[in-house]
């Protein structure tokens, strides 16, 4: 056990050389296809929901709320329940975290890639999935997180180093590209509902702060777009 943990630590903390620019662009193209192609997006959107709900859960705990559980649904929606004051900064931060969470995670992942810790990134994601698994409260959510975790563990432990690095870059691009698309989908859904619907994060924030929901959607998009630009800049080695 000790030797296995030592090996895991060595893998996670070893700096890997950045792949060739062409390889980085290929991983970006794969991630873009996963976000743009409707059939692919109907599947990969679940991964973004995992991060979305995980972000709600993390910020709820950090803001002093008690986490009651997370549910993931087959229509790619999800629900994170926390207990605490119904209003105030903690509730606002928790509601805001969902749509920007994938972008912030993607930006953090890009920073790790920039520093050469592609394998470390994969293991950090695996630990995060394991922690989230403890909070899942429905069978479908359990299945989604388990499948993601097993796939990530298989890549992190058994795949050749080049493939591990490629997966790390692809996942990072997916987070950065998928986050803005989810915000666009949010506003499209609100527009189609006529009055914006009452259950989206933006509408919850509007009720909490008395600011228009569309303003919150705009802030979601600015954070996500900014993360995409900065994260892409780092990954491509421009800055």
């Amino acid at each position: 056990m000790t030797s296995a943990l030592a090996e895991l630590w060595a893998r996670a903390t070893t700096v890997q050389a950045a792949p060739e620019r062409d390889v980085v662009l290929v991983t970006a193209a794969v991630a873009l296809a996963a976000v743009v192609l409707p059939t692919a997006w109907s599947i990969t959107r679940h991964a973004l929901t995992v991060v979305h709900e995980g972000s709600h859960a993390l910020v709820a705990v950090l803001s002093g709320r008690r986490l009651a559980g997370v549910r993931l649904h087959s229509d790619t929606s999800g629900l994170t329940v926390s207990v605490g004051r119904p209003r105030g900064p903690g509730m606002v931060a928790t509601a805001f975290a969902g749509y920007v969470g994938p972008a912030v995670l993607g930006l953090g992942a890009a920073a790790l890639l920039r520093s050469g810790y592609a394998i470390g990134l994969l293991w950090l994601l695996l630990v995060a999935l394991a922690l989230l698994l403890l909070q899942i409260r429905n069978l479908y959510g359990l299945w989604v997180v388990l499948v993601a975790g097993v796939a990530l563990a298989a890549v992190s432990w058994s795949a050749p180093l080049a493939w591990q690095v490629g997966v790390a870059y692809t996942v990072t691009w997916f987070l950065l590209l998928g986050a803005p698309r989810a915000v666009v989908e949010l506003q499209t859904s609100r527009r189609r509902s006529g009055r914006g619907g009452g259950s989206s994060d933006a509408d919850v924030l509007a009720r909490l702060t008395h600011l228009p929901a569309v303003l919150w959607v705009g802030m979601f998009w600015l954070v996500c777009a900014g993360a995409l630009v900065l994260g892409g800049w780092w990954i491509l080695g421009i800055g």
Side-chain angles (χ1 to χ4, degrees):
M1 174 66 78
T2 303
S3 60
L5 290 176
E7 182 179 353
L8 288 178
W9 179 255
R11 289 188 182 191
T13 57
T14 299
V15 175
Q16 294 82 38
E20 297 293 330
R21 176 68 65 88
D22 289 348
V23 174
V24 175
L25 293 177
V26 167
T27 62
V30 171
L32 183 62
V35 170
V36 172
L37 298 178
T39 301
W41 180 243
S42 67
I43 299 171
T44 59
R45 181 68 171 82
H46 290 282
L48 212 67
T49 302
V50 170
V51 181
H52 178 115
E53 299 304 330
S55 300
H56 281 312
L58 176 61
V59 174
V61 172
L62 292 177
S63 62
R65 301 179 64 81
R66 181 171 62 83
L67 188 61
V70 176
R71 292 176 176 268
L72 305 172
H73 305 135
S74 59
D75 63 354
T76 73
S77 66
L79 177 66
T80 298
V81 179
S82 61
V83 179
R85 292 180 57 191
R87 309 187 74 86
M91 187 62 196
V92 171
T94 299
F96 186 76
Y99 278 97
V100 302
V104 173
L105 178 59
L107 187 60
L112 286 175
L113 295 181
R114 187 188 191 194
S115 299
Y117 293 107
I119 309 306
L121 169 61
L122 295 181
W123 285 104
L124 283 175
L125 292 175
L126 190 57
V127 170
L129 284 174
L131 293 174
L132 180 61
L133 185 65
L134 300 176
Q135 298 297 330
I136 297 295
R137 296 294 183 267
N138 67 324
L139 286 176
Y140 187 82
L142 186 67
W143 181 83
V144 169
V145 176
L146 278 175
V147 168
V150 169
L152 196 55
V155 170
S156 301
W157 186 257
S158 302
L161 178 61
W163 281 93
Q164 293 183 46
V165 172
V167 169
Y169 274 78
T170 303
V171 169
T172 302
W173 279 119
F174 172 76
L175 292 169
L176 293 171
L177 292 166
R181 169 156 189 182
V183 176
V184 172
E185 286 185 345
L186 166 65
Q187 184 56 22
T188 300
S189 174
R190 294 186 67 258
R191 188 184 302 116
R192 287 175 178 171
S193 69
R195 59 187 184 84
S199 61
S200 75
D201 292 349
D203 292 294
V204 170
L205 286 164
R207 289 193 293 272
L208 289 171
T209 63
H210 305 293
L211 296 173
V214 68
L215 178 63
W216 288 106
V217 174
M219 284 193 280
F220 292 160
W221 192 87
L222 284 174
V223 172
C224 293
L228 173 57
V229 172
L230 182 56
W233 185 276
W234 287 348
I235 294 172
L236 293 173
I238 300 174

